[in-house]
Structure formats: C-alpha cells, structure tokens
Amino acid sequence: MKVHIEFFVLLVYYMINNKYTSLYLSKGNVSMNLSKKALTISPSPTLSIDAKYKEMKSNGIDVIGFGAGEPDFDTPEHIKEAAIDAINAGMTKYTPASGTNQLKEAICKELYDDNGLLYNISDIVVSNGAKHSLVNVFSAILNPGDEVIIPAPYWVSYPEMVKLADGVPVALHTDEDTNFKFSPEQLKAAITPKTKAVVINSPSNPTGMVYSKAELEQIAKVAVENDLFIVSDEIYEKIIYDVVHYSIASFGEDVKARTILVNGVSKSYAMTGWRIGYTASAPEIAKAMANIQSHATSNPSSISQAAAFAALNGPQDTVDAMRSEFQLRRDFLVSVIGKIPGVSCLAPQGAFYVMMNIKNVLGKELKGKIINNSDEFCAHALQTCNVALVPGTGFGADGYVRWSYATSMDNIKKGIERIAEFVQ
Ligand code: PMP
Ligand code: GLU
C-alpha cells in the first residue's frame, strides 16, 4: 500500500511539474509550449517555393522552377572524384570542429589570390554552408537588442538569422533609382546607439547589383567611424559580369579587423548539396564562432571538406564556363522582360537573379483574378501557368518578383513565354 501511495504522489508531482515546463498531457491532447523566439521565425520562402515546385514536378506537372538559387550544373568531375578518393582513403572521421587545416590553407590562398587579403588559418571557420556561417556570425557578435542594418531588397534569411541571435534586424530600403544600392548618408542616418553591424551582400541576392570600389570605400569609412562590424557576404563573388568584385575587407587593416567575410563553394562550384561555407575574420571572432560550432554541429562533413579543397585548389575553368553560361541566360532574360508591357527589370551585374518590377500590373486582373501584391502574383502564376517565381515580400520588396536563372535556357524560354502570356 505504501508503495502505491508513493507512486501516486510521484505521478501527481510529475504532472504538475510538466504543466509548468514544456509538455502537458491533458485529455489525450498535447499542448505545445514552444520557445517564443522559435515562434517569431518564418520559414524560408525560397526553400518553400522550391519544395512546392519539386512536389508538383514529381506529380508529373509540367512546372518550370525559377525559385531556389541553385546552379543547375552538376558538380565538376574532379571535385566528385576527390570526395570518392577521400572516402576510400578513410577520411571518414571527425575533423577539427572548425575544419581541416588543409582546407583552411586553401581558403587563405584563395582569399589572397582573389582579393589580396592576408589571413591565417586561425582566422578561418569552415561550416555547413554559408548559411550556417552566417548563423555563427550573428551568434558570435550580437547581444540581445543589438541592431543589424540590412539593405533591402535582402536575401530572405538575414532578418531571421539576426532574430535567432536575439538581435533586431533594421531594413535599409533602396530602390531601382539607385540600382538598389544604399548611400553612405543613408547608412549614417540608420545608425543608432544600438547598431552593432551592417550587412553587405555584393553581388546581391536578389538584385544582382555589385557595389563599386568607391562605394565600398565610403561604406567602410562610415562603419569604422561608427565602430560597426561589417558582415560581408561574398558568396556570389565569382558569378559576376562586366564589373569587378572588391572585398570590403581589402580597404585597410581597420576595416579588415571589423569585417567578417562570408563565402563558400555552393554557388561558384555547383556544390549546394555538399554544405561547405566559411568565414574569415579577426581570430577572436573566429574563436567565438568555432566554440559555438563545436557544441552545435562539430565539423562539417569530412568528405565535403575534401571536395571543397579540390574545388578551391583545382582547375578553375568550370567556374568560368558556368559564369559564361549564366551571362548568356541573364542577357536573354533581361532583354525579353524589357519587351513585355507592364513589367520591367534592371540588368543585374552578378549572381543569377533578376528582380522583375510588377508594380504596373498590381490592381489589375490577370487570368480571372485581381492581383494585389507579389505574393498573389506568384501564387496565381504557379497555379495558372505552372511557373514558380519568388515573391518580393520575403526580400523586403513587394512590387517585385525574383527569377533565378540558374536553370536551362530552354526552361527560361518556356517560362518567360508563359509569364508574358500571363501578364498580357
Ligand atoms: N548568402 C546568400 C546571399 C545566398 O543567396 C545563399 C544561398 N543559399 C547563402 C548565403 C547560403 O549559401 P549556402 O548554400 O552555402 O548555405
Ligand atoms: N540562396 C538561395 C536562394 O535565395 C537558395 C535557397 C536558400 O537557401 O534561401 O534561393
């Protein structure tokens, strides 16, 4: 009997305790009491649209995807072979949490060859894609309430990443009149006592715009004067047309010391699935990020690291070939959009995206439905013409839709024909 009473007391204690912690079982229902922070994070719209497109395709629908920014090319042969060799050589164990020295050395060499930047291996952290690198960056530099200035249109994940690290994203709006670029004056005006960092993404996703050397120098000056970190996302560095890429970190030691440069192999080497990104920064910041990563994920895949080494260290002709093909697609897409009444676009200078201005068709009826915003435009285009585009809302730019031209010329031709018909 005594045993039964003790069991009963324990059971009641357990139920009361759990009511006030996380999971409370009542009448067979589970009432979820999740973290308030998690509830403020929205799903990635680019990945959601890509998932929807892939699902439609697998159901046999003739859908054309311009959603996710993922090169359609296969990973070059020599990179795949390096991964197979790594498996056969037994490189299948944990590596140091922040990456192998071999890969870090190749990254340092690349940063020097491409941008004249001198880094040591202790400045480098290799992560599971540039997305993970950016999450590490914000976790390492932000305290609750710190503001991060993010130029809009921005890549969909920056604001959510800042929120994940308890920071406050502050959008800095830009428009087509300034080629979607912000001025140093605009940046100065957005700075408050709480501003901790500014994000630069050149070439930009989603606008494809590239900041010139003079523009970056002025931005760097404002960052130094106001003691800001600069988060420089250079993932599209090698996918650039007609203009030259400059890394903001290259404008002097004081700028380099406050810049966290983010890059990776996903886009330049068609390696999105391999998940290798990296940062270069002052060693104190690198150490903080490596510590965080050592508890969160440990090292990125040892095999992917060997493949990334081959990508950076091997022949670069595949990068040039992909870049030339992207340029042909960009030229074609931009010229056709220019001929469609009601929509327009700027010619991007890098990355593989076009932001199409749809402001003139808003409020009008397209295929039996009044279109009020870019979400409705994209949903209706997907439903009625089987074309997947990403609405500008996720990029902080309603009135625009994003095309990713990382797909074949045939698809681009078919897709743009369908959209021309849709808006007419
Ligand atoms: N930065 C930008 C601007 C991007 O477009 C992407 C694309 N996903 C990333 C970072 C992350 O790249 P990764 O696939 O290496 O995580
Ligand atoms: N960065 C790419 C895009 O913008 C891939 C998807 C994602 O990670 O957001 O489409």
Side-chain angles (χ1 to χ4, degrees), residues 203 208-212 237 240-246 348-350:
M209 291 305 157
V210 176
Y211 283 81
S212 69
E237 172 194 20
I240 191 159
Y241 324 108
D242 321 321
V243 288
V244 179
H245 167 81
Y246 289 93
Q349 301 164 308

Side-chain angles (χ1 to χ4, degrees), residues 129-142:
K131 200 177 251 184
H132 182 207
S133 301
L134 284 156
V135 168
N136 282 341
V137 171
F138 294 122
S139 306
I141 64 172
L142 298 184

Side-chain angles (χ1 to χ4, degrees), residues 44 46-47 67-70 131 155-157 205 236 267 353 395 402:
S44 161
T46 45
L47 293 182
E70 170 161 52
K131 200 177 251 184
W155 176 43
V156 293
S157 291
N205 174 6
Y236 296 101
K267 315 288 176 174
Y353 307 105
F395 304 103
R402 190 192 78 172

Side-chain angles (χ1 to χ4, degrees), residues 10-253:
L10 263 174
L11 184 68
V12 170
Y13 174 77
Y14 175 81
M15 288 182 73
I16 292 171
N17 210 24
N18 275 280
K19 177 174 179 180
Y20 296 107
T21 52
S22 57
L23 260 186
Y24 175 52
L25 296 176
S26 71
K27 293 183 189 160
N29 291 325
V30 180
S31 104
M32 296 288 177
N33 182 10
L34 300 183
S35 118
K36 290 195 182 81
K37 184 158 69 181
L39 296 174
T40 70
I41 307 295
S42 48
S44 161
T46 45
L47 293 182
S48 309
I49 285 171
D50 190 50
K52 174 99 189 133
Y53 151 74
K54 284 175 179 155
E55 186 195 315
M56 287 172 76
K57 204 163 170 69
S58 72
N59 289 337
I61 299 170
D62 173 28
V63 59
I64 311 175
F66 299 95
E70 170 161 52
D72 54 317
F73 306 108
D74 197 8
T75 303
E77 237 13 78
H78 70 282
I79 299 176
K80 293 198 281 189
E81 272 161 25
I84 294 165
D85 291 347
I87 296 175
N88 289 332
M91 290 167 70
T92 53
K93 308 283 187 220
Y94 291 135
T95 75
S98 61
T100 62
N101 283 352
Q102 184 197 43
L103 177 54
K104 288 183 184 178
E105 273 159 17
I107 291 167
C108 290
K109 182 172 179 310
E110 198 224 12
L111 289 167
Y112 182 72
D113 291 348
D114 290 356
N115 294 294
L117 289 166
L118 266 178
Y119 284 104
N120 297 315
I121 56 172
S122 54
D123 305 331
I124 310 296
V125 178
V126 184
S127 304
N128 298 282
K131 200 177 251 184
H132 182 207
S133 301
L134 284 156
V135 168
N136 282 341
V137 171
F138 294 122
S139 306
I141 64 172
L142 298 184
N143 286 312
D146 283 350
E147 293 175 359
V148 178
I149 296 176
I150 304 175
Y154 44 71
W155 176 43
V156 293
S157 291
Y158 297 135
E160 307 307 299
M161 289 165 164
V162 168
K163 286 195 269 169
L164 267 176
D166 295 325
V168 179
V170 176
L172 190 59
H173 286 282
T174 68
D175 52 36
E176 284 170 298
D177 298 345
T178 58
N179 287 331
F180 291 119
K181 294 192 233 179
F182 65 90
S183 64
E185 290 71 36
Q186 248 183 305
L187 174 59
K188 268 189 223 162
I191 294 172
T192 75
K194 290 192 170 162
T195 309
K196 190 70 164 280
V198 55
V199 174
I200 301 281
N201 174 215
S202 175
S204 151
N205 174 6
T207 68
M209 291 305 157
V210 176
Y211 283 81
S212 69
K213 184 169 185 248
E215 287 163 343
L216 288 174
E217 274 170 342
Q218 287 178 312
I219 293 166
K221 194 164 167 274
V222 178
V224 172
E225 282 165 4
N226 292 275
D227 196 19
L228 304 184
F229 284 116
I230 303 168
V231 180
S232 182
D233 182 347
E234 303 180 19
I235 188 106
Y236 296 101
E237 172 194 20
K238 295 187 201 296
I239 305 171
I240 191 159
Y241 324 108
D242 321 321
V243 288
V244 179
H245 167 81
Y246 289 93
S247 174
I248 196 163
S250 63
F251 302 133
E253 278 311 307

Side-chain angles (χ1 to χ4, degrees), residues 317-335:
D317 50 335
T318 51
V319 179
D320 295 335
M322 290 190 258
R323 200 203 56 78
S324 304
E325 179 60 30
F326 283 136
Q327 184 160 7
L328 290 177
R329 297 172 186 180
R330 174 203 69 160
D331 292 347
F332 176 75
L333 187 58
V334 168
S335 78

